[in-house]
Amino acid sequence: RASATALQTAAGEPEAEVLVLTSDTVASFGVRSFLAQYARPDDHEYYASNPPEMPYMDSDSDDDAAPAAPTTPVMKADQVEKLQAVRQGSPWQLSTLEGVWFLAESESKVRLQFSTMEEVHFFGEGERQRFRRHLANALKAGEKRGVAQGWAVLPSDKTTLNDVRKVVKKQHEQGRPVAALRNE
């Protein structure tokens, strides 16, 4: 399951971007590339018409079976074009995510530490909080599958991974360990 969020474009950026979060990756794509794959050419006509009613999936009889739900056509791999990444290094594997900062600033933004620091700007706090919840779920699912390390929430005014590591190390030396320090 994936989550897609439109991001604010920084000044001077050539194209708006869409941040896509899956259970294994985070990726940044150009909005044109994204819409070329996921928007129907006849969207305006399709949604203006009366789409067929979905059957109610229940029966009040013990003998009757629930009607079969209509199936949606599946796209074949040869029908899908590769989405154009906007940021260098995108897509990023969640297993390589080292830190996340939900900054307490007037703008709704998040910093993601992979091999490089990526800062994304959301249109509003609602989108940022939705991304936060989806990211927490993806990381927890990764832990259950054994492909991600444990994570802990650590309130901090530090804005770099090295500074956070120093704080965590100091807490550990004082007998207050934090479980989510990656030793790299």
Side-chain angles (χ1 to χ4, degrees):
R1 192 170 171 162
S3 166
T5 305
L7 299 177
Q8 280 188 337
T9 306
E13 290 293 322
E15 183 178 9
E17 62 184 305
V18 175
L19 188 69
V20 177
L21 171 65
T22 70
S23 59
D24 296 317
T25 60
V26 177
S28 175
F29 300 113
V31 72
R32 287 186 191 115
S33 176
F34 180 82
L35 290 176
Q37 283 301 298
Y38 295 102
R40 297 165 51 117
D42 63 340
D43 268 351
H44 61 286
E45 295 166 4
Y46 178 81
Y47 291 109
S49 68
N50 294 326
E53 292 288 323
M54 292 289 292
Y56 184 65
M57 303 300 289
D58 193 13
S59 174
D60 60 356
S61 170
D62 292 334
D63 298 329
D64 292 340
T71 59
T72 56
V74 176
M75 285 185 104
K76 305 276 188 238
D78 60 346
Q79 296 173 316
V80 178
E81 294 179 27
K82 184 175 181 180
L83 295 174
Q84 298 300 310
V86 172
R87 296 176 186 239
Q88 187 70 21
S90 173
W92 304 278
Q93 295 296 315
L94 281 180
S95 61
T96 65
L97 182 63
E98 297 179 3
V100 181
W101 288 262
F102 290 89
L103 304 169
E105 297 180 1
S106 60
E107 295 181 31
S108 297
K109 57 185 174 180
V110 172
R111 288 190 185 144
L112 303 166
Q113 178 71 52
F114 294 99
S115 59
T116 60
M117 180 72 76
E118 298 295 330
E119 188 171 286
V120 295
H121 298 254
F122 295 91
F123 280 105
E125 189 60 23
E127 287 87 4
R128 183 174 86 151
Q129 292 302 321
R130 185 173 68 91
F131 174 78
R132 181 188 59 80
R133 288 189 304 273
H134 288 196
L135 179 61
N137 288 334
L139 292 172
K140 183 174 235 117
E143 286 178 40
K144 288 180 181 177
R145 291 190 324 265
V147 295
Q149 80 272 0
W151 284 86
V153 176
L154 178 66
S156 175
D157 60 350
K158 308 301 180 203
T159 58
T160 67
L161 190 57
N162 286 336
D163 290 344
V164 171
R165 284 184 171 150
K166 288 175 188 173
V167 170
V168 170
K169 184 177 179 180
K170 186 175 179 180
Q171 286 181 351
H172 184 71
E173 289 169 353
Q174 295 172 349
R176 301 179 318 182
V178 176
L181 180 63
R182 277 182 94 166
N183 295 320
E184 292 184 3

